[in-house]
Amino acid sequence: MGQQSLSIEEFNEKLKSWTGKNIKITKKEINDLDETVMALTSVSYTNNTRRIDDYVPEHSLMLNGEGEIENEDDEMEPLPAPIYEIPLNDEAEYSFNGTSFSLKTDRGTYSIEQE
């Protein structure tokens, strides 16, 4: 199955169906690749309408749950908080290929798949 483009609403609905599952989040940025695994307990969003600069995103996808993140030594360590935040912008692209989600933003590309 190829990549299927999704609206934010479709993305949200499909991703929320993974609540209770173990997921792996892979973030790709220029010269950087990070992996996080977590037990997804809920999906939520935040709106930051009182931003001072462009560093703080206007919207964020919040993946809630306990998990681990890969450190600089390629070892897994506990997440500092039971949440994984993905900054969103109006140009974000959402897709699903039947087994994993892809989310492209101006800050990086995120892949979310079941563990």
Side-chain angles (χ1 to χ4, degrees):
M1 175 184 247
Q3 286 290 99
Q4 173 190 6
S5 291
L6 302 173
S7 68
I8 181 64
E9 294 83 8
E10 292 168 326
F11 178 85
N12 180 50
E13 185 178 316
K14 284 184 182 291
L15 186 57
K16 282 186 174 183
S17 74
W18 285 13
T19 299
K21 310 271 190 207
N22 291 328
I23 62 169
K24 178 170 78 171
I25 306 153
T26 305
K27 177 178 74 169
K28 296 176 191 166
E29 294 178 324
I30 300 170
N31 300 324
D32 190 28
L33 179 70
D34 296 322
E35 287 190 353
T36 302
V37 292
M38 73 182 333
L40 184 65
T41 56
S42 67
V43 177
S44 58
Y45 294 85
T46 62
N47 293 313
N48 301 309
T49 56
R50 296 180 183 223
R51 301 181 314 153
I52 298 171
D53 56 31
D54 288 338
Y55 184 75
V56 176
E58 185 174 355
H59 308 285
S60 293
L61 167 62
M62 310 299 270
L63 302 174
N64 304 284
E66 297 292 330
E68 297 179 319
I69 188 164
E70 187 177 32
N71 64 23
E72 302 88 35
D73 299 324
D74 295 328
E75 297 174 353
M76 300 304 280
E77 62 184 41
L79 284 172
I83 196 159
Y84 187 94
E85 179 178 0
I86 299 176
L88 302 176
N89 60 9
D90 291 337
E91 292 79 35
E93 298 175 19
Y94 309 90
S95 59
F96 184 67
N97 68 7
T99 59
S100 67
F101 292 94
S102 178
L103 173 55
K104 294 181 183 178
T105 71
D106 60 346
R107 297 189 186 192
T109 301
Y110 299 82
S111 173
I112 304 168
E113 59 189 331
Q114 288 190 40
E115 264 285 277

